[in-house]
Amino acid sequence: MLARLTAVAAAVACLAAGCSGTAQPQPSSSPGVPTLRPQVLAEIPHDQGAFTQGLELVDGVLYEGTGLEGRSELRATDPADGSVQERTQLPSEFFGEGITVVGDRIWQITWQNGVAIERDRSTLAERRRVTYAGEGWGICHDGTRLVMSDGTDKLTFRDPTTFAATGEVRVRDAQGPVVKLNELECVNGAVYANIWETDRIVRIDPASGSVTAVVDLTGLLPEGERTGADVLNGIAAVPGTDEFIVTGKLWPKLYRVRFATSG
C-alpha cells in the first residue's frame, strides 16, 4: 500500500512538473504462453488530465472512470474523438478506481474507501452505495457476475445486483502468482488485466486463474510523447470485433488496437 501511495504522489508531482514517466520492471512471459503485440488501427485524442482507472465501451459510448482524491470522475466520452459528453465528480474524499456497465447501471469502485457506487447509466447520477472489505482496483462484468481486482493476485467474483462476494480465484503463470492486477476487461470468457507499473496486459482464464497470453505494449506511447504521462491503464473491448481501445493514466492518446501474435 505504501508503495502505491508513493507512486501516486509521484504521479501527481510529475503532472505538476511536466516530467515524463519512468520505465518500470516488466513481468516475464511464461513458457508456452503466447506474447501478443498491438497492431495500431487508430489514434484518438485523450484528455491528458484524466488519471484513467477504468474504461468500457458500450452502445457507442466510451465510459471512463478517473482517480485521485478531489479529482475523481465518471465520464461518458465519444470514442471517435475522445471528447467528453457528460461527467460527474465523486465526493472529494473518494479516490475513484475501476468501472463497469451492467445493463442500465454502472458500478464505480474506490481505492481505499471501501465503497462501490451504483450509477444510472443514462445520467451518471448516483443511485446507491455499498461497502466492501479491502482495496478496489479494477472491475468488469462477464455477463453473469462482476470480477474485481484489489492489486494482489486475487480476482473476486461478485453478484452484479448486491455486490456480495460469491467466490475468488488466484492468478498464476509458470513463475507463480501474478500480482498488481489492476484495470480489468471481461470479454469472450476471458479477463484482461493491466499489470500495474508495467506496459503489459495479461489474459486470464477466470475458471482456473491461469494466464493464457501476455500482451506487450512497450513503446505504444512514444517516448517523445510521454511528458507528463504515467503508467498504462485502461482496456475497453470494441463490441462485435477483436479490437480494443487502450490508454494510460495522464496519456494524451487513446489507441484502437488489435492484439496479434508477435514475430
Side-chain angles (χ1 to χ4, degrees), residues 6-208:
T6 302
V8 168
V12 176
C14 184
L15 175 62
C19 60
S20 59
T22 303
Q24 299 292 336
Q26 305 291 300
S28 59
S29 298
S30 298
V33 172
T35 296
L36 310 179
R37 289 282 298 167
Q39 294 179 343
V40 177
L41 307 175
E43 297 181 2
I44 306 162
H46 180 239
D47 175 10
Q48 199 168 4
F51 198 76
T52 306
Q53 303 285 54
L55 207 62
E56 194 160 317
L57 179 62
V58 180
D59 295 335
V61 179
L62 184 63
Y63 297 96
E64 181 174 20
T66 73
L68 301 177
E69 289 183 359
R71 294 171 53 185
S72 296
E73 294 186 343
L74 177 63
R75 303 173 171 191
T77 70
D78 185 336
D81 61 13
S83 61
V84 178
Q85 306 298 304
E86 199 167 354
R87 70 208 306 165
T88 187
Q89 286 193 318
L90 276 72
S92 60
E93 70 272 20
F94 284 178
F95 192 118
E97 287 279 350
I99 63 165
T100 195
V101 174
V102 182
D104 64 352
R105 298 169 291 133
I106 299 175
W107 280 111
Q108 182 173 25
I109 58 175
T110 56
W111 178 24
Q112 295 178 317
N113 305 98
V115 173
I117 301 172
E118 183 188 61
R119 297 187 179 278
D120 184 277
R121 184 176 146 203
S122 62
T123 64
L124 307 186
E126 181 177 327
R127 295 172 60 169
R128 63 176 171 137
R129 299 180 187 181
V130 299
T131 60
Y132 55 85
E135 295 188 358
W137 287 42
I139 192 168
C140 63
H141 181 234
D142 69 2
T144 302
R145 60 191 177 178
L146 302 173
V147 184
M148 181 171 160
S149 62
D150 63 3
T152 68
D153 63 334
K154 181 174 71 175
L155 294 177
T156 300
F157 305 123
R158 296 185 178 275
D159 183 282
T161 301
T162 67
F163 213 77
T166 59
E168 65 179 57
V169 68
R170 299 283 177 166
V171 178
R172 299 287 187 272
D173 63 12
Q175 282 76 46
V178 179
V179 298
K180 297 186 178 181
L181 300 174
N182 200 2
E183 210 270 323
L184 304 179
E185 180 75 355
C186 295
V187 59
N188 297 329
V191 177
Y192 289 77
N194 278 111
I195 305 299
W196 184 54
E197 293 189 302
T198 80
D199 288 327
R200 296 200 178 189
I201 292 169
V202 292
R203 187 181 69 199
I204 303 162
D205 176 359
S208 64

